[in-house]
């Protein structure tokens, strides 16, 4: 069994109408099946309201399924006694870097998680140093988070999760509020953690360029998983993606248009190098 | 305009006072304030002045910063002095029109003024040499016996430190919203007092909405990082007394004893 497994997961939330106009149940997730192997890099795509954030919050037991079930490392997330255990195993990084940093000094913020799970003091210091080193923020350890750029703050947030020694990191649109440089740094950090430390990464994003490194891409729409496969498989279905109001990487789009115009190219070209090679080998 | 407000007037340096445990500084300040009310005579005040001067020197904070706090109490200072001078009955010193300054009044006025000034300088030595975070930690440790009486000491300390973290963020946000509203024709500068307060509404409503949103996000982020109150929590930077803290406690006791003796003797 994989590290994260969802079976027929469904989640309803209650939407209250204005002026006591009554409430209605809205199904945010519907019949979601998911099985993630340890050490994988998973990307989840979907436009606003597709249920991807709701799914992410289930992995960290911030939300508990209405129907079906979710297991993290073999533990059912609906079991109340195991709650802190689950949250330690599956760390979460949110969209807004400012709203998830608690400490007034970088190192204190990274130490917040280990403090909460009762790690002894000398061990906290070791973990904080190690975590900051892994995200490349060790030089900024005694700065105030307010003095950092968005990308740096987000890397501090990642370090805060890493210091808890999780099996898996869920990143809910971590780059949505960052500039292109910050975005690159954050994704690079996540990839390194995934490749070097074998931490399972689940990345929710709007940016297609961030998805092409993933082992598997999951596309969601209206609370359901509608497509699943390797980036190449997914991005060769350009028409379907467009119908879901999703983009494809620029290069893929160019290749797709060229192909439509009669150039014999393969489906699902993902990187610039691939396209160059494919075009050069035409003659 | 909003950039001028700095909270927690910490002055970074590495003097011996900066290195002291915040608990020692907190108790020391408290003792100093009590001592100010114990001493009466000129010898007593000379004693307090000497101690204060020594502390200022030890803190290596420019005196200029200490005096900054004076501005805030200037009005109170003048009013107390005036009332004490004019309204204390006793031997008249000089008088003009219907006002009479008495000798006793003058002495009380000077004593009150000195007390107020020393009180402000004494407490600013603490805030200038202690980061707001250390201060919160120190208070949490000192008040932790109150936990037995079900006072949520840890929670209050956590709230204080979160507030400290978010003040600059909300400040920046206020600035942003203000500019956005000015760009849409809002007017924050003109009109009388009541008008100006009314004009603040387009600033305050979005600010509150965003503050609540932030609070919600932060609560979720804290839960995601296993925060579940003070129970079973360890500390990254626990407060541990060092040799210098014990020496400082000894000196504080000595100072208190001196003040008590001088107070009893009435010197």
């Amino acid at each position: 069994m994989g590290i994260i497994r969802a079976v027929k997961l469904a989640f309803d939330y209650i939407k209250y109408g204005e002026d006591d106009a009554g409430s209605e149940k809205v199904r945010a997730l519907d019949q979601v099946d998911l099985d993630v192997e340890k050490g994988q890099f998973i990307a989840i795509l979907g436009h606003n309201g597709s249920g991807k954030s709701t799914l992410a919050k289930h992995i960290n037991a911030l939300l508990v399924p209405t129907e079906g079930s979710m297991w993290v490392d073999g533990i059912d997330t609906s079991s109340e006694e195991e709650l802190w255990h689950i949250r330690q195993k599956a760390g979460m990084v949110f969209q807004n870097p400012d709203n998830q940093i608690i400490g007034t000094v970088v190192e204190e913020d990274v130490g917040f998680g280990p403090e909460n799970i009762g790690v002894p003091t000398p061990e906290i210091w070791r973990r904080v140093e190690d975590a900051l080193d892994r995200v490349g923020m060790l030089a900024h350890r005694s700065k105030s988070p307010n003095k950092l750029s968005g990308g740096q703050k987000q890397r501090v947030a990642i370090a805060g999760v890493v210091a808890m020694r999780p099996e898996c990191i869920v990143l809910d649109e971590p780059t949505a509020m960052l500039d292109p440089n910050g975005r690159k740094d954050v994704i690079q950090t996540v990839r390194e953690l995934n490749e070097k430390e074998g931490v399972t990464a689940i990345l929710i994003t709007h940016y297609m360029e961030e998805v092409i490194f993933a082992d598997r891409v999951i596309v969601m729409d209206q609370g359901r998983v509608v497509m699943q496969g390797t980036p190449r498989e997914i991005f060769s279905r350009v028409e379907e993606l467009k119908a879901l109001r999703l983009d494809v990487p620029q290069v893929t789009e160019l290749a797709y248009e060229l192909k439509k115009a009669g150039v014999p190219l393969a489906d699902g070209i993902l990187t610039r190098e691939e396209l160059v090679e494919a075009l050069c080998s035409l003659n | 305009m909003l950039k001028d407000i700095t909270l927690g007037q910490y002055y970074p340096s590495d003097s011996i006072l900066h290195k002291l445990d915040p608990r020692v500084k907190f108790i020391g300040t408290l003792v100093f304030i009590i001592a100010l009310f114990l001493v009466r005579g000129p010898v007593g005040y000379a004693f307090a002045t000497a101690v204060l001067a020594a502390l200022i020197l030890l803190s290596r904070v420019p005196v200029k910063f200490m005096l900054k706090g004076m501005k805030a109490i200037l009005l109170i200072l003048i009013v107390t002095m005036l009332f004490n001078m004019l309204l204390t009955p006793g031997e008249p010193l000089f008088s003009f029109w219907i006002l009479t300054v008495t000798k006793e009044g003058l002495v009380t006025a000077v004593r009150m003024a000195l007390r107020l000034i020393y009180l402000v300088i004494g407490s600013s030595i603490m805030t200038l040499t202690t980061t707001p975070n250390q201060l919160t930690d120190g208070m949490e440790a000192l008040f932790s016996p109150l936990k037995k009486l079900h006072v949520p000491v840890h929670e209050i300390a956590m709230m204080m430190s979160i507030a400290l973290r978010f003040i600059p963020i909300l400040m920046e946000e206020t600035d942003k919203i203000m500019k956005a509203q000015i760009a849409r024709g809002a007017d924050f500068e003109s009109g009388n007092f009541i008008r100006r307060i009314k004009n603040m509404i387009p600033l305050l409503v979005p600010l509150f909405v965003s503050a609540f949103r932030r609070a919600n996000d932060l609560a979720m982020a804290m839960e995601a990082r296993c925060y579940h109150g003070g129970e079973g929590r360890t500390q990254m930077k626990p407060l541990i007394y060092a040799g210098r803290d014990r020496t400082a406690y000894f000196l504080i006791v000595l100072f208190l004893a001196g003040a008590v003796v001088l107070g009893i003797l009435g010197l």
Side-chain angles (χ1 to χ4, degrees):
Chain A
M1 188 158 99
I3 182 150
I4 294 162
R5 212 160 88 91
V7 176
K8 299 216 179 307
L9 185 73
F11 182 76
D12 295 333
Y13 68 93
I14 294 165
K15 190 170 158 191
Y16 295 95
E18 273 178 45
D19 308 321
D20 300 317
S23 55
E24 54 172 325
K25 259 191 190 171
V26 179
R27 182 141 282 207
L29 287 178
D30 197 12
Q31 301 286 322
V32 172
D33 291 310
L34 191 68
D35 198 344
V36 178
E37 294 294 327
K38 201 172 156 53
Q40 275 192 318
F41 191 121
I42 306 286
I44 302 181
L45 292 177
H47 65 85
N48 292 336
S50 61
K52 55 194 193 319
S53 284
T54 314
L55 180 62
K57 282 173 195 158
H58 275 85
I59 300 172
N60 191 262
L62 285 169
L63 294 175
V64 178
T66 315
E67 283 167 34
S69 41
M70 174 71 124
W71 286 279
V72 173
D73 206 13
I75 310 169
D76 190 337
T77 59
S78 57
S79 69
E80 198 106 354
E81 314 88 73
E82 298 281 359
L83 186 62
W84 308 114
H85 209 65
I86 293 165
R87 289 193 181 155
Q88 182 263 316
K89 277 186 190 291
M92 191 147 176
V93 176
F94 297 87
Q95 186 185 76
N96 189 330
D98 275 325
N99 295 358
Q100 55 184 320
I101 292 181
I102 294 112
T104 35
V105 180
V106 166
E107 57 180 15
E108 282 175 17
D109 183 70
V110 178
F112 181 76
E115 282 181 331
N116 288 334
I117 51 177
V119 176
T121 305
E123 172 71 14
I124 296 181
W125 281 92
R126 265 198 297 279
R127 286 193 184 193
V128 167
E129 243 180 75
D130 181 56
L132 279 173
D133 191 33
R134 279 188 207 178
V135 301
M137 289 294 293
L138 200 55
H140 303 275
R141 60 185 302 170
S142 48
K143 277 195 189 161
S144 156
N146 296 326
K147 299 240 154 61
L148 302 178
S149 73
Q152 288 174 324
K153 279 183 218 172
Q154 213 55 309
R155 271 148 68 199
V156 170
I158 294 174
V161 170
V162 170
M164 293 173 78
R165 303 273 154 89
E167 307 274 336
C168 153
I169 298 187
V170 184
L171 302 109
D172 190 356
E173 297 190 35
T175 57
M177 298 177 79
L178 307 182
D179 58 30
N181 277 334
R183 222 150 62 206
K184 226 175 12 195
D185 287 346
V186 168
I187 294 303
Q188 188 57 35
T189 308
V190 177
R191 282 185 68 197
E192 267 171 32
L193 281 175
N194 175 252
E195 279 161 20
K196 288 191 195 150
E197 319 286 334
V199 180
T200 314
I202 296 178
L203 174 72
I204 295 174
T205 184
H206 273 302
Y207 295 100
M208 302 302 146
E209 284 76 13
E210 295 172 0
V211 171
I212 53 178
F213 317 108
D215 295 315
R216 186 145 55 103
V217 179
I218 293 168
V219 182
M220 293 191 68
D221 188 51
Q222 289 175 357
R224 289 167 178 271
V225 173
V226 286
M227 289 162 89
Q228 224 181 119
T230 62
R232 205 173 294 280
E233 283 163 19
I234 297 289
F235 288 130
S236 54
R237 292 150 80 178
V238 178
E239 288 300 320
E240 275 173 81
L241 284 172
K242 293 214 159 161
L244 294 167
R245 285 179 282 158
L246 288 171
D247 277 330
V248 292
Q250 244 177 14
V251 177
T252 314
E253 170 120 49
L254 178 62
Y256 170 75
E257 291 294 337
L258 282 172
K259 195 179 169 193
K260 248 189 7 190
V263 183
L265 288 170
D267 270 336
I269 286 176
L270 295 176
T271 62
R272 206 181 300 179
E273 289 76 30
E274 269 180 290
L275 182 61
V276 170
E277 214 168 287
L279 284 174
C280 288
S281 63
L282 279 180
N283 305 331
Chain B
M1 124 191 191
L2 290 163
K3 293 255 157 63
D4 300 338
I5 308 166
T6 47
L7 195 113
Q9 29 171 358
Y10 180 65
Y11 181 88
S13 168
D14 60 344
S15 75
I16 180 89
L17 281 192
H18 283 77
K19 284 185 202 139
L20 276 185
D21 191 292
R23 287 172 291 183
V24 178
K25 285 188 264 190
F26 192 77
I27 288 179
T29 312
L30 214 63
V31 165
F32 184 73
I33 291 170
I34 293 168
L36 280 180
F37 287 90
L38 284 175
V39 297
R40 283 166 228 278
V43 182
Y45 277 101
F47 179 53
T49 311
V51 170
L52 197 60
L55 286 176
I56 292 175
L57 282 180
L58 276 179
S59 74
R60 286 201 230 146
V61 178
V63 183
K64 184 174 82 190
F65 282 88
M66 310 265 171
L67 297 178
K68 256 190 192 164
M70 287 297 118
K71 261 190 248 161
I73 61 153
L74 197 64
L75 192 70
I76 306 174
L77 205 61
I78 292 171
V79 171
T80 9
M81 278 191 81
L82 275 180
F83 273 84
N84 270 308
M85 272 198 290
L86 299 173
L87 299 176
T88 316
E91 190 185 320
L93 215 55
F94 57 89
S95 61
F96 58 95
W97 193 36
I98 52 162
L99 304 169
T100 312
V101 176
T102 63
K103 191 179 162 206
E104 284 80 0
L106 196 64
V107 171
T108 326
V110 170
R111 191 186 292 156
M112 288 301 273
L114 277 179
R115 257 183 210 166
L116 265 175
I117 293 170
Y118 285 11
L119 203 137
V120 170
I121 294 183
S123 35
S124 40
I125 289 178
M126 176 175 75
T127 50
L128 281 164
T129 59
T130 321
T131 62
N133 246 20
Q134 283 178 321
L135 218 53
T136 331
D137 285 353
M139 300 242 239
E140 182 180 354
L142 279 176
F143 292 124
S144 62
L146 291 180
K147 276 180 197 159
K148 291 215 173 67
L149 301 171
H150 298 287
V151 179
V153 178
H154 167 78
E155 283 74 9
I156 292 172
M158 180 57 83
M159 279 192 260
M160 275 169 65
S161 59
I162 289 174
L164 286 172
R165 147 114 182 87
F166 274 86
I167 282 169
I169 294 174
L170 289 179
M171 216 77 115
E172 205 175 291
E173 185 127 313
T174 313
D175 224 28
K176 235 187 256 170
I177 297 172
M178 218 168 184
K179 279 182 187 139
Q181 300 291 38
I182 289 173
R184 289 165 203 184
D187 181 9
F188 296 114
E189 317 260 284
S190 63
N192 61 21
F193 185 67
I194 293 172
R195 222 194 122 89
R196 269 201 227 182
I197 299 235
K198 270 192 184 158
N199 286 346
M200 282 295 187
I201 292 172
L203 174 66
L204 292 179
V205 172
L207 188 64
F208 268 81
V209 170
S210 114
F212 279 115
R213 192 173 296 139
R214 278 179 196 283
N216 199 16
D217 280 5
L218 186 75
M220 193 151 63
M222 286 171 75
E223 268 190 44
R225 286 165 76 182
C226 291
Y227 181 73
H228 51 286
E231 221 175 297
R233 203 161 182 267
T234 46
Q235 276 184 305
M236 183 179 176
K237 296 176 177 171
L239 295 172
I240 297 164
Y241 285 124
R244 55 169 174 267
D245 298 312
R246 279 185 278 273
T247 317
Y249 269 133
F250 179 68
L251 290 174
I252 289 169
V253 171
L254 224 56
F255 168 72
L256 186 64
V260 168
V261 169
L262 287 172
I264 290 170
L265 293 176
L267 286 169

